[in-house]
Amino acid sequence: MHLFRYVEDPAQTRIDTYEAHGGYKAWRKVLKEMTPEQVTAEVKSSGLRGRGGAGFPAGMKWGFIPKGTTKPRYLVCNADESEPGTCKDRVLMERDPHAVIEGMAIAAYAIGCHLMFVYIRGEFGFSIDVMRTAMDEVYQKGHLGKNIHGSGYDLDMVIHTGGGAYICGEETALLNSLEGKRGNARIKPPFPAVAGLYHCPTIVNNVETLATVPHIIVRGAAWYKSLGTEKSTGTKIFSLSGHVRQPGNYELVLGHSLKDLIYSPQYGGGILGDKKLKGVIPGGSSTPFLTPDKVDVPLDYESLTAVGSMLGSGAVIVFHEETCIVWVIANLIRFYRHESCGKCTPCRDGTGWLEQIINRIEQGGGKPGDVEKIESICDNILGRTVCPLGDAAVMPIQSAIKKWRDEWQHHVEHGTCLVRTQFSLAEGV
Ligand SMILES: Cc1cc2nc3c(=O)[nH]c(=O)nc-3n(C[C@H](O)[C@H](O)[C@H](O)COP(=O)(O)O)c2cc1C
Ligand code: SF4
């Protein structure tokens, strides 16, 4: 494994240790030996896909910057880390900040950018401190600034802290926020690569995506491609949480079994209290549930799509048999309603309406037809909003009703829970 190779070493945050472990070698190599086109081609050939959720090929995205544009180009590292269950980017920033900065610098060079930004979630006080210290060290060593290492290339970096809104992780809302505006999503197209920050060509990439780049440059695209599966290359950090004995961030090659992640003593260590598994959200709170019969699946983009879910940001949330699914959904919809930016009616009003009905059902006041009403509201949100937050809000609801309809009906008909009314994460430890 490479991303997490040194995360247990507290000294890794210091530039001397990072360099002793081979850090900034890739940056020097790029500046001395490679053209921007060669860097882009190497990353394209590695098959690296964005780790922020959508899984879009990174090199291909970099190639979308319009050729010959005279406008400034920008690189933005998306460190907003907002999806519930996802907690990997902050670990990279807090434990290996120079890998993030080096990856940013290489990506910036590849797209011809001279000013790059990292947009960090405002609540991540420690990540912000560590990244600031690392940035100061980088300037002191001359890895950033004017005429870097005599290459004639200039590059500066800005650390920008966000206010802590889920929508500000969505790339266009992030760009609005970075411009000092309210974090509303923009209609696409135009995509940021064409008209992004200050209407200039901009590439937005996730922290983990960028932290991977130096490894690809040093060890080569062929090495990276040799890890993972044919279409899902390399490794991915999975944030495992919920009813498992050993929650945590685990770096695995793509294609590793989900079942093994949950049960292996090396990783999750099995279900809390030796209870039975009820379901898993495999890719962050916006992805559809998997039932136990679907858990023996490789963790890669294609296999998870084939079983009706998504890899997303790689946040695997596990629920045991005593979990009330209506309770889970009531929690999720509260989050999405709160985080809707309010720009479009289906999301703004739909999530509020869903929250009211689902809460009423959860608290025993369900009425006949409620479940069908929820389904109809979901149908009217899905695919009808400016940004994917609307879809993210409804996909887990739709799958929870499809898979556990009897529990929803029981809540409505009896005003009680088929499973139980409360559970505690600490129980059974
Ligand atoms: C509501 C919403 C929240 C998002 N939050 C994040 C986030 O916190 N971090 C992130 O990297 N991407 C997030 N994304 C995805 C970004 O819009 C974008 O696709 C990503 O940063 C691109 O980087 P990548 O190509 O390296 O994955 C979010 C998307 C949506 C719709
Ligand atoms: S879907 Fe929701 S979060 Fe996205 S733009 Fe519309 S109102 Fe805002």
Side-chain angles (χ1 to χ4, degrees):
M1 298 302 135
H2 47 281
L3 289 170
F4 268 4
R5 191 157 166 208
Y6 297 113
V7 288
E8 299 298 330
D9 179 359
Q12 178 71 3
T13 57
R14 297 202 294 271
I15 198 160
D16 292 343
T17 317
Y18 182 72
E19 288 186 330
H21 287 150
Y24 291 107
K25 229 191 205 167
W27 182 220
R28 286 178 189 275
K29 177 177 171 182
V30 159
L31 288 172
K32 281 212 178 88
E33 299 168 22
M34 294 176 84
T35 63
E37 293 73 25
Q38 284 171 329
V39 178
T40 305
E42 192 71 10
V43 172
K44 217 185 226 176
S45 153
S46 76
L48 172 66
R49 295 167 69 164
R51 305 300 195 220
F56 194 80
M60 198 188 285
K61 197 198 269 186
W62 298 358
F64 289 160
I65 297 272
K67 300 276 169 279
T69 177
T70 50
K71 290 181 173 179
R73 300 125 191 238
Y74 298 110
L75 177 93
V76 181
C77 173
N78 187 345
D80 196 58
E81 181 129 280
S82 302
E83 187 85 354
T86 316
C87 49
K88 63 187 175 71
D89 294 340
R90 63 178 303 169
V91 176
L92 286 169
M93 287 189 285
E94 290 168 10
R95 302 294 186 91
D96 207 356
H98 288 288
V100 181
I101 298 176
E102 187 178 8
M104 287 175 66
I106 296 167
Y109 177 85
I111 63 162
C113 148
H114 298 287
L115 181 60
M116 60 185 192
F117 297 82
V118 52
Y119 183 99
I120 310 184
R121 167 160 281 256
E123 287 97 330
F124 287 176
F126 185 55
S127 306
I128 295 163
D129 287 351
V130 177
M131 287 292 284
R132 279 200 178 127
T133 307
M135 187 176 78
D136 291 346
E137 287 182 323
V138 170
Y139 271 102
Q140 278 160 22
K141 287 264 181 167
H143 294 315
L144 287 181
K146 295 255 171 289
N147 187 22
I148 304 165
H149 302 310
S151 64
Y153 184 69
D154 305 337
L155 178 61
D156 282 296
M157 172 175 177
V158 170
I159 295 180
H160 183 97
T161 61
Y166 177 52
I167 187 61
C168 289
E170 193 282 329
E171 56 185 7
T172 62
L174 183 155
L175 295 174
N176 268 1
S177 170
L178 202 48
E179 289 177 5
K181 299 176 187 148
R182 190 188 153 112
N184 281 344
R186 300 175 183 172
I187 292 174
K188 293 194 277 194
F191 288 92
V194 176
L197 189 64
Y198 312 124
H199 231 71
C200 295
T202 305
I203 294 298
V204 181
N205 271 137
N206 170 259
V207 170
E208 184 184 354
T209 314
L210 291 166
T212 304
V213 170
H215 299 280
I216 293 173
I217 298 299
V218 167
R219 299 167 86 166
W223 160 78
Y224 196 73
K225 262 198 301 207
S226 73
L227 307 169
T229 70
E230 197 192 332
K231 289 189 179 155
S232 301
T233 59
T235 67
K236 169 94 195 75
I237 303 168
F238 291 94
S239 306
L240 180 65
S241 67
H243 293 141
V244 283
R245 287 206 177 87
Q246 292 150 196
N249 283 302
Y250 298 101
E251 185 185 4
L252 305 172
V253 289
L254 283 164
H256 192 104
S257 148
L258 171 59
K259 195 173 176 184
D260 189 68
L261 172 65
I262 297 170
Y263 289 98
S264 158
Q266 238 185 308
Y267 309 118
I271 311 294
L272 272 182
D274 284 327
K275 298 212 165 97
K276 276 198 207 129
L277 177 67
K278 176 175 190 138
V280 182
I281 295 180
S285 68
S286 62
T287 60
F289 288 85
L290 295 178
T291 40
D293 56 315
K294 296 279 192 294
V295 165
D296 203 357
V297 61
L299 285 164
D300 62 63
Y301 295 97
E302 291 70 33
S303 304
L304 284 167
T305 308
V307 292
S309 193
M310 286 184 269
L311 185 89
S313 60
V316 178
I317 311 171
V318 176
F319 301 101
H320 70 40
E321 57 188 326
E322 290 176 8
T323 312
C324 167
I325 204 69
V326 182
W327 182 90
V328 171
I329 295 297
N331 274 281
L332 286 185
I333 194 60
R334 187 179 313 133
F335 170 80
Y336 285 107
R337 195 269 308 149
H338 182 260
E339 297 295 334
S340 165
C341 82
K343 180 166 173 161
C344 36
T345 311
C347 172
R348 182 188 61 241
D349 289 354
T351 51
W353 199 7
L354 285 171
E355 187 190 22
Q356 281 182 25
I357 301 173
I358 294 168
N359 269 342
R360 186 159 47 70
I361 298 177
E362 205 265 325
Q363 288 159 16
K367 296 179 196 158
D370 270 353
V371 179
E372 292 71 21
K373 199 176 283 169
I374 293 171
E375 288 179 309
S376 156
I377 299 168
C378 287
D379 287 345
N380 282 292
I381 296 176
L382 197 74
R384 290 182 164 85
T385 55
V386 169
C387 92
L389 189 143
D391 298 346
V394 305
M395 284 188 298
I397 303 180
Q398 289 178 318
S399 88
I401 294 181
K402 202 165 143 206
K403 285 166 184 154
W404 294 284
R405 196 175 192 100
D406 54 333
E407 287 186 31
W408 288 85
Q409 292 297 2
H410 184 96
H411 261 269
V412 170
E413 285 163 22
H414 304 279
T416 55
C417 182
L418 196 59
V419 185
R420 54 185 299 182
T421 49
Q422 279 185 337
F423 67 89
S424 150
L425 280 180
E427 194 175 89
V429 183

